[in-house]
């Protein structure tokens, strides 16, 4: 679970770099709007990322503390045993996907506006036209990943006995999560409050541009984001009240999951995290190259068989580690230089001094 | 002159009342092509009333996320409908960058729908959720690319000017790009609303469903809210397609609204024809069709940039 969150930081750093890139393009082309929007979006995303990533890591730590495992495929159904941690993780997941009305949406909106303004000017059309849909693709991949993570850990049924002993942590662990969550929704609902900070940062980085450009509050609709965020919450509240009145106690019953009439579902039948991601991994299999170890059942009365699939990290496991192993093997040839004889080390120092004296004359 | 409150009120009333009729028109068209009489046109309204009066059974495996998903679906679709101009006149809420809010509101609804599917702890609903999450990865960039063409042509970042009174002029100067955009947005409409060729709303085989299987465990008022939310989503995305496709803006609010409603009904008939003529694509071919929609919009951007 923590590994998943760490890999997600790569995605968010990418969004920050996009914002900074738009700002630098704006400086190169001489467009103050691009500088303000790009830098504002990038810096705000740095701040937002710190907030929601910390929130997610704290709730993952709380899960680890309660169950003793980080493996997503051994958890499940934790929301009923740890409701507050589940809510904190859901909150952080909605923020990291950049969904309204939380803070991730505000910074992504600023970067989008920068990219759209780039489309307006002819030399940057390609960058904007490739950047904006890529950002949308990144956003949907993030949604897929966090729905998977949240669903596999907190929703559904427990996949192992470790869940049975889980309980919500005490106030000391919940209070920081609550503080971070409040900060996330504050920035998401009232982005105009942090606009002055972004403007002072922009004027520190590019004072000549910042003097000319209109403030962030004019370029981006910060006050209307407050209005739309609050109306979204109000509509959700009204809908919840409507549903609650329609499902009063007298008309509501509970029972096992219907699942189109399946008689005896077991927790092992649920979708696991890797099965959820299987179609996406297959779509990108030219880059990810998943490894599948499977023996198909054979014969009329087949014996039990196993299936195992694994997606090694393409960059780390397939590129960096083999390269470094190969480099270590090659450089072992130079091992004879480090023989431990102090007299010869003194000769090395003398030789280096002589070479330097000759070369630098 | 009418007071300024009349226009948004009429738009709100049309937004709230019209969507189930679109579903009825689609079903009637499919029935007519198949040689049947089919259910009455107003059947979706009767269904909503019936579902609102039924009791509910909630699974013991589910949490509050399951009950939140129909609510979030309707709230996001309603807020998105307030951003779209109907018939080319001002939307009730309009600001720079509202097209991003438009796209991401559907992302929020999808987050909760797929989470609710995983909440039931069932294999079928997890499968539907996995498929929905995967195909939306390609549908959202296609939608954004289509909107980008309009951004480039109208040099504005809000839906109201993009689909506004300048549309007839755009059709005169850049009609090839706009034709490509209409086709691409139509494909995205079919994908996001789970219509053939992406998903069959009538199938009852779990292995072939995407949206239907995610809502298997909802019943009663919650299912009614999901049905209405799906109709609203069809209305909102259809309003985008009709806003681009209809090249007339008369300037009078009543006439434009009537043209818009007529356009929406024609769009429903077209969807019904497409559903009757085509079969559902195999799941391996669905990404290809969505990538094709992205490419169409990409070509449209190139055409619009000249």
């Amino acid at each position: 679970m923590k590994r998943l969150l760490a890999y997600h930081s790569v995605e968010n750093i990418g969004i920050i770099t996009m914002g900074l890139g738009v700002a630098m393009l704006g400086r190169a082309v001489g467009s103050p709007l691009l500088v303000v929007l790009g830098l504002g979006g990038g810096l705000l995303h740095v701040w937002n990322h710190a907030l929601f990533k910390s929130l997610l890591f704290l709730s993952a730590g709380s899960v680890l503390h309660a169950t003793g495992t980080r493996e997503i495929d051994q958890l499940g159904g934790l929301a009923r045993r740890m409701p507050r941690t589940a809510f904190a993780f859901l909150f952080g997941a909605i923020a990291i996907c950049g969904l309204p009305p939380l803070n991730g949406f505000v910074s992504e909106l600023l970067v989008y506006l920068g990219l759209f303004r780039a489309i307006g000017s002819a030399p940057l059309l390609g960058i904007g036209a490739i950047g904006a849909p890529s950002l949308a693709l990144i956003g949907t991949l993030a949604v897929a990943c966090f729905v998977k993570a949240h669903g596999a850990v907190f929703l559904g049924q427990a996949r192992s006995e470790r869940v049975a002993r889980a309980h919500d942590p005490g106030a000391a662990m919940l209070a920081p999560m609550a503080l971070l969550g409040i900060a996330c929704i504050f920035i998401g609902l009232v982005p105009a409050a942090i606009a002055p900070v972004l403007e002072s940062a922009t004027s520190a980085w590019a004072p000549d541009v910042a003097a000319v450009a209109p403030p962030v509050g004019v370029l981006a609709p910060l006050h209307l984001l407050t209005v739309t965020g609050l109306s979204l919450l109000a509509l959700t509240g009204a809908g919840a009240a409507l549903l609650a009145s329609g499902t009063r106690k007298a008309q509501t019953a509970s029972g096992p999951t219907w699942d189109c009439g399946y008689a005896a579902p077991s927790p092992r039948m649920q979708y696991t995290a890797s099965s959820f991601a299987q179609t996406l991994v297959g779509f990108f299999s030219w880059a990810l190259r998943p490894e599948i170890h499977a023996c198909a059942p054979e014969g009329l009365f087949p014996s039990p068989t196993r299936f195992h699939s694994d997606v090694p990290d393409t960059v780390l496991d397939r590129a960096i580690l083999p390269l470094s192993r190969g480099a270590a093997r090659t450089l072992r040839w130079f091992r004879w230089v480090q023989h431990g004889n102090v007299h010869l080390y003194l000769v090395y120092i003398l030789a280096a001094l002589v070479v330097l004296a000759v070369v630098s004359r | 002159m009418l007071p300024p409150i009349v226009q948004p009120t009429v738009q709100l009333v049309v937004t709230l009342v019209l969507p189930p009729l679109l579903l009825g028109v689609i079903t009637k068209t499919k029935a007519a092509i198949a040689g049947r009489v089919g259910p009455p046109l107003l059947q979706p309204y009767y269904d909503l009333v019936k579902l609102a009066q039924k009791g509910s059974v909630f699974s013991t495996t589910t949490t509050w996320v399951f009950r939140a998903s129909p609510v979030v679906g309707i709230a996001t679709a309603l807020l998105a409908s307030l951003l779209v101009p109907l018939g080319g006149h001002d939307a009730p809420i309009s600001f720079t960058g509202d097209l991003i809010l438009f796209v991401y509101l559907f992302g929020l609804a999808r987050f909760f729908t797929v989470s609710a599917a995983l909440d039931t702890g069932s294999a079928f609903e997890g499968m539907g959720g996995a498929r929905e999450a995967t195909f939306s990865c390609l549908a959202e960039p296609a939608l954004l690319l289509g909107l980008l063409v309009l951004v480039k042509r109208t040099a504005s970042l809000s839906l109201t000017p993009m689909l506004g009174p300048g549309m007839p002029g755009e059709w005169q100067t850049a009609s090839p790009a706009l034709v490509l955009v209409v086709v691409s947005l139509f494909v995205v409409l079919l994908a996001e609303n789970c219509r053939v060729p992406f998903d069959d709303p009538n199938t009852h085989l779990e292995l072939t469903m995407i949206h239907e299987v995610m809502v298997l465990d909802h019943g009663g008022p919650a299912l009614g809210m999901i049905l209405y939310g799906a109709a609203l989503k069809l209305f909102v995305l259809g309003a985008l397609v009709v806003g681009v496709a209809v090249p007339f803006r008369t300037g009078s609010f009543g006439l434009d609204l009537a043209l818009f409603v007529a356009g929406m009904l024609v769009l429903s008939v077209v969807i019904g024809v497409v559903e009757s003529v085509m079969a559902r694509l195999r799941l391996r071919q669905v990404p290809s069709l969505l990538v094709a929609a992205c490419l169409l919009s990409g070509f449209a951007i190139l055409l619009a940039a000249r």
Side-chain angles (χ1 to χ4, degrees), chain A residues 186-207:
Chain A
F186 177 73
I187 295 183
L189 282 182
V190 195
I194 37 110
V197 177
L198 292 176
E199 278 156 36
S200 63
T202 314
S203 53
W205 186 65

Side-chain angles (χ1 to χ4, degrees), chain B residues 128-216:
Chain B
R131 289 178 180 177
E132 168 81 9
T134 311
F135 296 146
S136 71
C137 289
L138 293 167
E140 262 197 29
L143 177 61
L144 200 66
L145 265 174
L147 291 175
L148 272 180
V149 178
L150 296 174
V151 165
K152 177 66 187 166
R153 286 302 314 169
T154 57
S156 74
L157 295 174
S158 167
L159 282 173
T160 300
M162 274 161 56
L163 301 173
M167 196 51 71
E170 292 297 326
W171 274 100
Q172 282 180 345
T173 49
S175 48
L178 287 182
V179 166
L180 289 178
V181 168
V182 168
V183 173
S184 165
L185 285 180
F186 184 70
V187 171
V188 171
L189 172 78
L190 293 177
E192 290 267 343
N193 289 291
C194 312
R195 298 269 136 201
V196 175
F198 296 96
D199 182 18
D200 192 348
N202 278 342
T203 180
H204 295 289
L205 305 172
E206 298 86 18
L207 294 175
T208 59
M209 297 187 232
I210 302 178
H211 187 258
E212 294 298 313
V213 75
M214 287 196 290
V215 301
L216 269 183

Side-chain angles (χ1 to χ4, degrees), chain A residues 151-165:
Chain A
V153 172
F154 292 103
L155 304 177
Q157 295 173 306
R159 291 187 185 83
S160 70
E161 300 81 35
R162 291 174 186 270
V163 177
R165 296 184 313 261

Side-chain angles (χ1 to χ4, degrees), chain A residues 79-80 87 90 93-94 97-101 105 108-109 112-113 116-117 119-120 125 128-129 132-133 135-137 139-141 143-144 146-148 150-152 155-157 219 221 224-225 228 231-232 235-236 239-240 242-243 246-247 251-260 262 269-271 275-276 279-280 283, chain B residues 52-65 67 70-72 75-76 78-79 83 93-97 99-101 104-105 107-108 110-112 114-115 118-127 129-130 133-134 136-138 140-141 144-145 148 151-152 157 204 206 216-217 221-222 225 287 291 301 305:
Chain A
R80 261 164 303 114
F87 184 72
L90 181 67
I94 295 181
C97 295
L99 299 172
F105 179 67
E108 285 198 21
L109 179 69
Y112 268 117
L113 285 175
F116 287 159
R117 297 252 180 221
I119 289 181
L125 170 73
L135 201 50
L137 176 67
T140 49
L141 286 174
V143 167
F146 273 94
V147 166
K148 172 192 91 168
H150 174 73
L155 304 177
Q157 295 173 306
L219 286 177
L224 278 165
L225 279 181
T228 50
S231 34
L232 181 64
L235 281 173
T236 312
L242 193 65
L243 185 63
T247 58
Q251 300 169 322
T252 307
S254 56
T257 302
W258 177 58
D259 198 13
C260 226
Y262 206 82
M269 284 187 209
Q270 294 175 100
Y271 251 52
S275 40
F276 192 90
T279 321
L280 267 176
F283 194 58
Chain B
Q53 292 165 350
K54 282 189 172 251
S56 319
V57 177
F58 287 106
S59 161
T60 46
T61 318
T62 57
T63 61
W64 64 272
V65 174
R67 297 176 199 231
V71 172
V72 172
T76 54
L78 261 181
L79 193 61
L83 296 172
I93 303 180
S94 158
F95 53 86
T96 317
L99 60 122
I100 299 300
L101 181 64
Y104 273 64
L105 277 173
L108 182 66
R110 190 178 305 119
F111 188 98
F112 273 92
V114 180
S115 291
L118 288 174
D119 202 6
T120 57
S122 102
F124 286 135
E125 302 187 20
M127 175 199 77
T134 311
S136 71
C137 289
L138 293 167
E140 262 197 29
L144 200 66
L145 265 174
L148 272 180
V151 165
K152 177 66 187 166
L157 295 174
H204 295 289
E206 298 86 18
L216 269 183
D217 264 83
M225 287 179 91
V291 168
I301 291 187

Side-chain angles (χ1 to χ4, degrees), chain A residues 9 44-45 49 55 61 68 75 105 124 182 347:
Chain A
S9 291
L44 183 59
H45 204 79
H49 177 237
L55 178 62
L75 301 168
F105 179 67
L124 300 177
I182 290 174
V347 173

